[in-house]
Amino acid sequence: ERLGPLLGSIEVNRILSAYEMAQNVHQFQKRNDGSPYFWHPTRVTRILLSELGITDPEILITALLHDALEDSDILTPQVLEYNFGATVADLVEILTKEIRVEDGPLRETIDREYVERLRNGPLTARVIKLCDRLDNMRCLEFNLKRNPYKYVKETSEHYMPMAEESQDLHMRYLLKELRKERNKFFG
């Protein structure tokens, strides 16, 4: 409803298609608290729209699909590009992290390379990633992560510096919100 007057029916339909694709990809996933995983990408998109005032269709589509590649065995960047264009496919690829690796040296290398890819990628990818981290931090009290303190520490050490280094107003807002959530755990 909010986007219709701003974007027109074609762009709204593209966003609805991304919504449906994300819903299908995540349909059988549950979070630790039993809630549907699909609610997470919708909340990330809501942060972009409601808190940051971002209405760019490609950014909203990317937010809806930001976990789709890592959570699907059949979805590919080529399918995303065919349906939503090269920009969306590229951004989703930048935001996709290999999650099927156990803790250890390989996991640490993957995590380090992922953070570096975000740092070197477009600002849009970092904004979406920080919205992702913000949503997860807001949900930590619902048993979202096995080790919430580790998650908060990782966010503080690897992701918040991306916002601290930026003068972008969206990044500054996200930094302020992430600090509020961090303070709930570390004071």
Side-chain angles (χ1 to χ4, degrees):
E1 287 178 23
R2 290 174 53 194
L3 293 172
L6 300 172
L7 301 178
S9 61
I10 292 173
E11 293 302 332
V12 170
N13 282 331
R14 286 182 69 225
I15 294 168
L16 290 173
S17 293
Y19 181 94
E20 289 174 13
M21 182 179 282
Q23 190 173 37
N24 287 329
V25 165
H26 301 299
Q27 70 180 328
F28 299 113
Q29 287 181 281
K30 299 280 186 202
R31 292 208 124 164
N32 287 343
D33 67 354
S35 66
Y37 185 87
F38 173 65
W39 293 355
H40 167 65
T42 63
R43 286 191 308 262
V44 170
T45 306
R46 185 177 299 261
I47 291 169
L48 287 161
L49 181 61
S50 298
E51 295 181 46
L52 300 178
I54 293 174
T55 59
D56 182 301
E58 301 210 325
I59 295 172
L60 300 177
I61 290 167
T62 300
L64 286 165
L65 297 170
H66 78 272
D67 284 336
L69 289 177
E70 62 193 43
D71 291 336
S72 172
D73 293 327
I74 59 171
L75 193 62
T76 65
Q78 293 77 21
V79 171
L80 292 178
E81 183 173 349
Y82 177 80
N83 284 282
F84 304 107
T87 300
V88 168
D90 290 343
L91 286 169
V92 173
E93 273 195 283
I94 290 167
L95 291 162
T96 298
K97 180 162 88 169
E98 175 56 57
I99 59 172
R100 296 176 180 107
V101 175
E102 297 296 321
D103 285 343
L106 180 57
R107 168 85 273 145
E108 291 170 14
T109 300
I110 289 170
D111 290 348
R112 211 175 22 259
E113 289 172 353
Y114 177 72
V115 169
E116 198 57 34
R117 187 169 69 238
L118 283 169
R119 279 188 181 286
N120 294 324
L123 175 63
T124 302
R126 291 190 297 279
V127 168
I128 294 168
K129 184 60 189 178
L130 289 180
C131 290
D132 168 59
R133 297 303 280 206
L134 177 58
D135 177 63
N136 283 334
M137 291 206 17
R138 286 175 173 170
C139 295
L140 285 175
E141 65 188 274
F142 304 110
N143 195 28
L144 172 69
K145 300 288 182 184
R146 285 187 304 253
N147 186 341
Y149 293 99
K150 178 181 175 188
Y151 190 84
V152 173
K153 184 174 185 259
E154 180 182 274
T155 300
S156 297
E157 291 176 359
H158 300 293
Y159 297 97
M160 288 171 68
M162 292 180 200
E164 291 167 347
E165 298 162 0
S166 177
Q167 295 304 310
D168 178 76
L169 293 177
H170 296 129
M171 295 291 271
R172 304 310 291 174
Y173 173 83
L174 291 166
L175 178 61
K176 178 180 65 99
E177 293 299 309
L178 285 165
R179 284 178 174 155
K180 274 194 236 175
E181 296 304 317
R182 179 183 63 190
N183 290 343
K184 290 178 183 177
F185 284 85
F186 295 138

